[in-house]
Amino acid sequence: MSKPLEGIKIIDFTHVQAGPACTQLLAWFGADVIKVERPGSGDVTRSQLRDIPDADALYFTMLNSNKRSLTLDTKTPEGKEVLEKLVKESDVLVENFAPGALDRMGFTWERLSELNPKLIVASVKGFSDGHHYDDLKVYENVAQCAGGAASTTGFWDGPPTVSAAALGDSNTGMHLAIGILTALIGRGQTGRGQKVAVSMQDSVINLCRVKLRDQQRLDRVGYLEEYPQYPHGEFTDVVPRGGNAGGGGQPGWVLKCKGWETDPNAYIYFTIQGHAWEPICRALGKPEWISDPNYATAQARQPHIFDIFATIEEWLADKTKYEAVDILRKFDIPCAPVLSMKEIANDPSLRASGTIVEVPHKERGSYLTVGSPIKFSGLKPEITGSPLLGEHTDEILAELGYSKDQIAHLHAARSV
Ligand code: CAO
């Protein structure tokens, strides 16, 4: 099966999570992704949170599959020369260094496009260029706080809360991948590369647009009827934290099932979708609620929505989360069990679809990783293990035209 990005060469000058998540995705779809790493140490995640002494950590292996690794000290003259050769032969350079680091290395946008006018230079930064915080180094949770996610996540009586989902990192990488693919199509039209920049703050804001919707509704009417604060609680002039309430027009909540006292994930998410009210009442054995004016409309239900959830929890008390969903699915009620990472790791459907995959690794043995969440009719991405540090250095240097002696000299000078 041919891969759509075959023939696209990418210099992967990324580290930690935001950049590597982007280039890994492009590698799955066929691009030749060359991860450029500092000799001796490499990407810091190789050694962060190790579970096996001296072997690459899962943090690294799960974000760098399908890539090749080239060690290169781009601060030495020889290292710069290798990078320049690579730039001339590549389609894309992706980086997520601290602001100004690439410029300090001597590889400004002007210099890179002079070396290769067709090159696309793609960057992740914490804040966008010109922003009053554009000098800051940024990690995941910083971006979640700066992008509006933290102020709107959690419970009203608790502090701003960050999500476990990598809204700042992997999400930004996905945005950058879209930018790169767009620039590649643009290059087909103009023959020229361009600079593509995505900030972590902007990427979080993009996912928080429903909260900006709510801010404007709150400004206009002073309350938000789908939040738990309505109608009994207080609203201030900012979007509050809504606990586990649904983000759209459908009230929902995380509800206890059988075993919740000992199992931290014995819960389901239950959504009270307006037009599903009748089947919900039938499923719960409460047919009298269908025509009761206190329950019949969403507006009538909202003042006592938590009493309704409490009644549903009584119904759930003798059912496991799986049994409950099996009953509710027959009534077309949108719901799902709250799944632990252990359950996700062992889920046969996720294994069958290639979303959770086991891949071999030269040092670790096999490990689990997340495969492509994007499914195609004409492409089944094959996930391979991540490269060892510098595993492909000699091979890549030879492809660039370096002789065996020259490669030996680069090693001796510690430039690769
Ligand atoms: N050869 C020589 N030098 C190299 C090199 C190589 N192959 N690779 C990196 N370096 C150098 C850089 O040039 C930089 O040098 P200077 O500081 O002298 O310019 C230095 O290594 C450190 O780079 P850095 O500042 O990017 O790394 P850091 O660990 O201090 O900061 C991070 C990490 C992530 C906070 C920062 O890179 C950043 O803010 N990136 C942008 C936002 C981002 O992507 N954050 C998400 C990270 S995922 O959670």
Side-chain angles (χ1 to χ4, degrees), residues 15 17 38 72 74-75 96 98 104-105 137-138 169:
H15 63 162
Q17 185 175 166
R38 232 189 308 214
L72 193 63
T74 52
K75 285 189 173 161
N96 67 319
R104 287 193 290 278
M105 229 181 252
K137 288 187 173 182
V138 170
D169 282 340

Side-chain angles (χ1 to χ4, degrees), residues 13 15-20 36-39 44-45 59 70-76 95-105 124-127 135-141 168-170 172 200:
F13 225 168
H15 63 162
V16 206
Q17 185 175 166
V36 178
E37 297 177 85
R38 232 189 308 214
V44 67
T45 58
Y59 198 4
L70 163 72
T71 47
L72 193 63
D73 186 338
T74 52
K75 285 189 173 161
T76 65
E95 63 92 21
N96 67 319
F97 291 126
L102 202 60
D103 294 355
R104 287 193 290 278
M105 229 181 252
V124 167
K125 295 287 167 267
F127 294 87
D135 56 326
L136 284 180
K137 288 187 173 182
V138 170
Y139 285 107
E140 172 68 55
N141 293 346
D169 282 340
S170 281
T172 306
M200 296 169 73

Side-chain angles (χ1 to χ4, degrees), residues 35 53-54 80-81 98 191 197 204 237 264 268 281 289 296 309 331 416:
K35 175 131 185 149
D54 303 326
K80 283 189 203 300
E81 197 187 293
V204 175
D237 62 349
I268 60 169
C281 297
W289 278 0
F309 289 142
F331 292 86
V416 298

Side-chain angles (χ1 to χ4, degrees), residues 46 49-58 361 363-366:
R46 284 189 186 268
L49 310 175
R50 271 191 175 144
D51 57 322
I52 301 177
D54 303 326
D56 285 333
L58 289 164
H361 185 270
E363 284 176 344
R364 303 184 51 90
S366 68

Side-chain angles (χ1 to χ4, degrees), residues 238-259:
V238 298
V239 175
R241 291 184 269 288
N244 286 317
Q250 325 296 342
W253 206 252
V254 170
L255 300 180
K256 291 170 186 153
C257 295
K258 185 177 163 187

Side-chain angles (χ1 to χ4, degrees), residues 184-335:
L184 280 167
I185 293 173
R187 190 180 74 172
Q189 295 159 356
T190 64
R192 292 192 67 84
Q194 60 179 306
K195 206 167 148 181
V196 182
V198 179
S199 89
M200 296 169 73
Q201 182 193 35
D202 292 356
S203 301
V204 175
I205 290 173
N206 191 28
L207 294 198
C208 288
R209 67 176 56 224
V210 295
K211 299 297 173 183
L212 184 58
R213 171 202 68 190
D214 293 347
Q215 185 61 52
Q216 295 174 85
R217 293 168 56 222
L218 185 66
D219 290 345
R220 193 176 298 274
V221 299
Y223 62 89
L224 298 164
E225 71 257 26
E226 77 282 24
Y227 281 60
Q229 289 82 347
Y230 179 84
H232 306 301
E234 296 276 307
F235 284 93
T236 66
D237 62 349
V238 298
V239 175
R241 291 184 269 288
N244 286 317
Q250 325 296 342
W253 206 252
V254 170
L255 300 180
K256 291 170 186 153
C257 295
K258 185 177 163 187
W260 67 271
E261 298 88 341
T262 51
D263 176 354
N265 297 304
Y267 291 82
I268 60 169
Y269 197 88
F270 192 101
T271 307
I272 302 187
Q273 204 183 12
H275 68 259
W277 180 241
E278 197 174 318
I280 288 171
C281 297
R282 293 195 195 291
L284 300 175
K286 290 273 179 196
E288 66 276 16
W289 278 0
I290 297 172
S291 51
D292 185 332
N294 280 326
Y295 293 88
T297 64
Q299 211 176 7
R301 288 189 290 272
Q302 192 60 25
H304 52 120
I305 195 79
F306 281 98
D307 297 334
I308 296 174
F309 289 142
T311 306
I312 302 172
E313 281 190 335
E314 280 168 29
W315 180 82
L316 290 167
D318 62 351
K319 298 169 189 70
T320 67
K321 61 186 177 184
Y322 296 112
E323 287 165 351
V325 169
D326 276 342
I327 296 171
L328 297 171
R329 71 198 301 185
K330 296 195 181 87
F331 292 86
D332 252 356
I333 296 167
C335 62

